[in-house]
Amino acid sequence: MTNLPLVRAVGLIFGACFAAAGLMGMRYGMTTLAWPSAPARIIISERVGMGDHAAGNIVAEFRLGEAIHHCGTVISGRDNSASDVRTYPVGRWIQVRYRPGDVGRCVFIPGISGGGVAFLLVGIAAFGLALYAHLSLRKR
């Protein structure tokens, strides 16, 4: 008994989902490159958790006109890591990119994250597995 029809169906479904998520993440990352920027100062930079699973809580404050805004995303599409805490100490000045019309969405580093690329590659691999299962079924 073979599971190739199941592999084909699962590969197509998961491949489509992962590829779509990867493409959307990459598209969003590319749009951050065109966002306007503003000088910001790191006001919170702390390690959260312990050991290998520690994360970073990092917040930058920037001013647009009279309004003060906060940004806590280093790279779009991924959580802040403990190593980001060392890179962005309290008091450091940086440039943040903010989304016009929705200043609450902002990033320290614009562009595509590794997560978007990884999702796309997993989607392509799942499609490849589904294609292999399809070709194997046709040979029978």
Side-chain angles (χ1 to χ4, degrees):
M1 186 164 135
T2 179
N3 289 327
L4 289 177
L6 179 63
V7 169
R8 179 175 56 181
V10 169
L12 288 174
I13 292 168
F14 282 106
C17 292
F18 275 80
L23 288 172
M24 288 178 6
M26 291 176 65
R27 181 174 177 241
Y28 182 78
M30 291 299 291
T31 62
T32 63
L33 294 169
W35 289 355
S37 65
R41 186 175 58 88
I42 303 295
I43 58 170
I44 299 172
S45 183
E46 60 189 6
R47 187 180 170 127
V48 180
M50 299 177 67
D52 294 338
H53 302 289
N57 179 27
I58 305 165
V59 177
E61 181 178 82
F62 63 102
R63 184 180 295 267
L64 294 176
E66 294 297 315
I68 296 174
H69 302 280
H70 296 92
C71 180
T73 305
V74 174
I75 299 173
S76 176
R78 85 163 166 82
D79 293 333
N80 297 339
S81 69
S83 65
D84 291 331
V85 173
R86 290 188 301 275
T87 305
Y88 297 99
V90 171
R92 178 178 173 189
W93 284 90
I94 60 170
Q95 286 288 118
V96 296
R97 299 275 184 131
Y98 60 92
R99 184 177 188 172
D102 186 7
V103 182
R105 291 195 140 178
C106 50
V107 295
F108 298 178
I109 303 172
I112 298 171
S113 72
V117 174
F119 268 87
L120 181 62
L121 293 176
V122 167
I124 290 170
F127 271 126
L129 182 63
L131 180 62
Y132 172 77
H134 176 73
L135 294 175
S136 294
L137 282 173
R138 289 190 73 198
K139 287 181 182 178
R140 292 180 179 198

